[in-house]
């Protein structure tokens, strides 16, 4: 196992896309303090300011129209919060010149919520006299048993706008250390002004259709940690599965560049998107073919269905409000990833401008993935099987109750897949003894409701399929319009696929459509396939799309319009990185992909484009999701479609039991990977 530790590795030079090191974070903070010595502020964000794409396209060698850029200025983006007033300032700091290049006040915005603020709010809430009085009325005298999940406020009618930096706290208790707090939800929500660092109101959640004015606290334990389950209760019939690579891994890593078989890419980590994949290419013979400039999870939203206050404010933007980087886990060898693991660390900043390190934040490894392709000649029994392997680059984040495993998969046949494994705990709500969840949830345990909700994930895909200028084509499949018996459909079996080129931002807004087996292709019309005589391309598809069920004029729809459609395509704009806007916290939706796409009709036909793809699930919780939720897997896939001359994995060698150490658990049998004479390969 080898670990890449950005914070501790001394390197005289950085790649332009490498995250800031710990030393750089300290240095940037020092430059800003010296430049603004009279201000009383905290550092909300210190992060790499990615270089402009035109500069990087030259630096990476994709743009040969002018002399190649060999040096890229290293810059940091700094977001400052002035204490008390909560005014927001943006600064760009040059690490080449050790100077503040720009400084501006940004009115009517609130930046991302930080871990420092989460801890401060939780401590503040426990000390508040109003909160203590609510707990006392519920029979709680020991405040050390009380816990809260600080949430973004969304948009609160009593605190409009973004001049005040607000949060709300969802309240719980524990009956003992490490008890599952979501088994004991409380019935009130404090609202906090972060500028004043004060609880400004407390909202009670009233029982519905109940004779009680206030519910009691459910005290029954519902736990899943080993000390509660008990070793004697674990299954005794599980034998180990050991993943080994005795000859080492098949990938190579140089800094943050990863080379695996025919794939090449670079990764980075930032406070907001977390794991980002850059500069993806595939070696096709002697040619290196560019595929994607940048891929990252741009935004998420989790709208809850209960319309009653304060539940209507529960629509979490886990990327834009909390930051997947800031919420990333330190992964554990042998638990989160199996096999021969290469780890990358991550570095972020605290309010004082000091770095904090997340060891093992990104896991890189290989996995067997079943059969890649196979055919058996039924005439002579000759079977040829090639097993699939995939490269996995992953991180796991915890955002309050939910945990998300975020996986980038690269396959030997050129397929790229992104998968979210949703797990963790349900967000729970307490009910009175005679209360029911009604139309908006399910009772997962006595007096505990889990509300209906949805999860939407919007990827920002910046393609460069065989070059920087691309188009998107939508494919729909239809039955033949000619009835059975017609000379053009004599036996009624005809169906066909209809391609539609999405030429501008108005046309390039699309819903999923299972009725027509809809998918999309990102194509390069300057490169025509020699066989099909059509543009080379990459197919985009997902079986995990769901309608957006909140009303189009709802608060959450106004704030998260990206979730209303599966696909948006916009011209590349370096200021349009996040589907819900850069300042998503307490936003009103004016800065979003929907607004960018509808501002004016802009061409996206054979241009430098960005594809925004949304997938998700509608989660109607089950009792089996409590007290901890088994993994729910959702995602999308991209596959080469008339891009190569043939199956690009034909050169993957077949495997056999001698190589993979497979053994018979029952009676002996012949190998499916043997040549006709039965000799081992």
């Amino acid at each position: 196992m080898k670990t890449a530790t950005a914070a501790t590795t001394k390197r005289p030079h950085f790649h332009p896309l490498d995250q800031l090191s710990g030393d750089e974070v300290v240095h940037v903070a020092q430059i800003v303090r010296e430049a603004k010595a009279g201000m009383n502020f905290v550092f909300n964000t210190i992060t790499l300011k990615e270089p402009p794409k035109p500069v990087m396209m030259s630096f990476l060698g994709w743009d040969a129209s002018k002399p190649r850029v060999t040096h890229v200025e290293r810059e940091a983006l700094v977001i400052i919060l002035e204490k008390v007033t909560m005014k927001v300032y943006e600064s760009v700091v040059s690490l080449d010149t050790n100077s503040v290049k720009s400084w501006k006040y940004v009115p009517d915005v609130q930046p991302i919520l930080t871990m420092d603020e989460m801890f401060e709010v939780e401590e503040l809430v426990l000390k508040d006299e109003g909160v203590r009085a609510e707990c006392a009325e519920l029979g709680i005298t020991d405040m050390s048993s009380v816990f809260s999940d600080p949430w973004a406020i969304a948009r609160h009618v009593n605190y409009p706008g973004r001049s005040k930096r607000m949060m709300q706290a969802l309240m719980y208790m524990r009956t003992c250390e490490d008890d599952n707090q979501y088994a004991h939800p409380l019935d009130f929500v404090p609202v906090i002004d972060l500028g004043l660092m004060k609880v400004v109101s407390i909202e009670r959640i009233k029982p519905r259709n109940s004779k009680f004015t206030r519910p009691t606290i459910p005290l029954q334990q519902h736990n899943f940690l080993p000390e509660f389950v008990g070793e004697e209760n674990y299954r005794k019939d599980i034998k180990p599965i050991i993943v080994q690579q005795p000859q080492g891994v098949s990938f190579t890593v140089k800094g943050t560049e990863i080379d695996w078989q025919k794939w090449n890419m670079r990764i980075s980590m930032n406070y907001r998107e977390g794991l980002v994949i850059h500069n993806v290419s595939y070696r096709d013979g002697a040619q290196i073919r560019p595929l994607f400039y940048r891929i990252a999870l741009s935004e998420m939203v989790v709208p809850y269905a209960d319309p009653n206050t304060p539940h209507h404010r529960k629509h979490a933007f886990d990327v834009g409000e909390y930051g997947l980087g800031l919420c990333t886990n330190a992964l554990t060898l042998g638990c989160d990833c199996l096999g021969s693991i290469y780890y990358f660390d991550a570095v972020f900043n605290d309010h004082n401008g000091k770095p904090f390190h997340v060891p093992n934040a990104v896991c890189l490894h290989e996995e067997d993935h079943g059969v890649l392709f196979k055919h058996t000649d039924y005439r002579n029994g000759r079977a040829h099987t090639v097993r699939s392997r995939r490269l996995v680059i992953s991180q796991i984040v915890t955002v309050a109750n939910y945990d998300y495993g975020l996986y980038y998969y690269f396959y030997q046949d050129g397929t790229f897949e992104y998968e979210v494994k949703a797990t963790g705990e349900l967000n729970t709500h307490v009910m009175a003894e005679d209360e029911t969840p009604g139309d908006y949830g399910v009772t997962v345990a006595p007096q505990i409701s889990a509300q209906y909700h949805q999860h939407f994930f919007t990827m920002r895909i910046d393609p460069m399929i065989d070059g920087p200028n691309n188009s998107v084509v939508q494919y729909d499949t239809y039955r033949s319009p000619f009835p059975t018996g017609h000379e053009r459909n004599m036996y009624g079996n005809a169906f066909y696929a209809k391609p539609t080129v999405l030429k501008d931002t108005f046309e390039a807004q699309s819903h999923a459509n299972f009725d027509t087996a809809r998918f999309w292709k990102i194509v390069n019309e300057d490169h025509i396939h020699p066989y099909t005589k059509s543009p080379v391309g990459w197919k985009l598809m997902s079986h995990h799309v769901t309608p957006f069920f909140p009303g189009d004029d709802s608060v959450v729809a106004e704030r998260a319009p990206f979730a209303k459609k599966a696909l948006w395509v916009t011209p590349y704009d370096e200021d349009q990185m996040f589907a819900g806007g850069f300042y998503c916290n307490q936003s009103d939706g004016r800065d979003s992909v929907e607004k960018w796409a509808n501002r004016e009709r802009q061409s996206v036909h054979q241009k430098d484009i960005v594809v925004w793809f949304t997938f998700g699930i509608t989660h109607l919780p089950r009792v089996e999701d409590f007290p901890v939720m088994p993994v729910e897997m959702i995602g999308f896939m991209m596959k080469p479609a008339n891009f190569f001359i043939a199956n690009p994995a034909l050169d993957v060698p077949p495997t056999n039991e001698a190589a993979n150490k497979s053994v018979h658990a029952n009676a002996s049998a012949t190998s499916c990977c043997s040549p006709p004479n039965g000799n081992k390969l």
Side-chain angles (χ1 to χ4, degrees), residues 665-679:
N666 55 358
S668 62
T670 59
S671 170
C672 69
C673 307
S674 299
N677 61 13
N679 295 328

Side-chain angles (χ1 to χ4, degrees), residues 510-557:
S510 182
H511 293 282
N513 190 342
F514 285 116
D515 289 341
T516 63
R518 178 172 291 172
F519 67 88
W520 299 268
K521 279 175 64 175
I522 305 173
V523 302
N524 188 328
E525 296 185 13
D526 294 331
H527 290 240
I528 303 301
H529 194 279
Y531 299 165
T532 68
K533 309 303 180 184
S534 62
V536 298
W538 225 259
K539 178 179 178 180
L540 170 62
M541 55 189 172
S542 175
H543 298 299
H544 302 116
V545 288
T546 184
F548 184 76
F549 286 119
D552 285 346
D553 58 351
S554 64
V555 171
V556 63

Side-chain angles (χ1 to χ4, degrees), residues 137-155:
E137 188 171 321
L138 290 170
I140 301 172
T141 56
D142 180 7
M143 293 301 292
S144 67
S145 68
V146 178
F147 297 83
S148 67
D149 282 353
W151 274 47
I153 197 69
R155 278 167 55 190

Side-chain angles (χ1 to χ4, degrees), residues 265-342:
M265 68 210 69
R266 186 173 291 275
I267 71 165
S268 70
M269 278 284 285
N270 66 59
Y271 73 105
R272 185 161 177 164
E273 299 155 295
L275 178 58
V276 181
I277 309 293
H278 303 268
N279 194 34
V280 181
S281 64
Y282 193 94
R283 179 167 45 83
D284 183 10
Q287 185 181 10
I288 303 298
R289 302 180 73 176
L291 300 177
F292 306 102
Y293 177 74
R294 192 180 192 276
I295 304 176
L297 180 55
S298 171
E299 193 52 87
M300 287 175 55
V301 66
V302 187
Y304 282 75
D306 195 322
N308 296 283
T309 300
H311 303 306
H312 70 279
R313 293 201 306 269
K314 286 160 61 175
H315 45 268
F317 292 73
D318 291 342
V319 178
E321 291 176 338
Y322 307 104
L324 298 183
L326 298 179
C327 296
T328 198
N329 290 188
L331 302 177
T332 304
L333 186 65
C335 297
D336 300 303
C337 306
L338 297 182
S340 299
I341 308 303
Y342 191 110

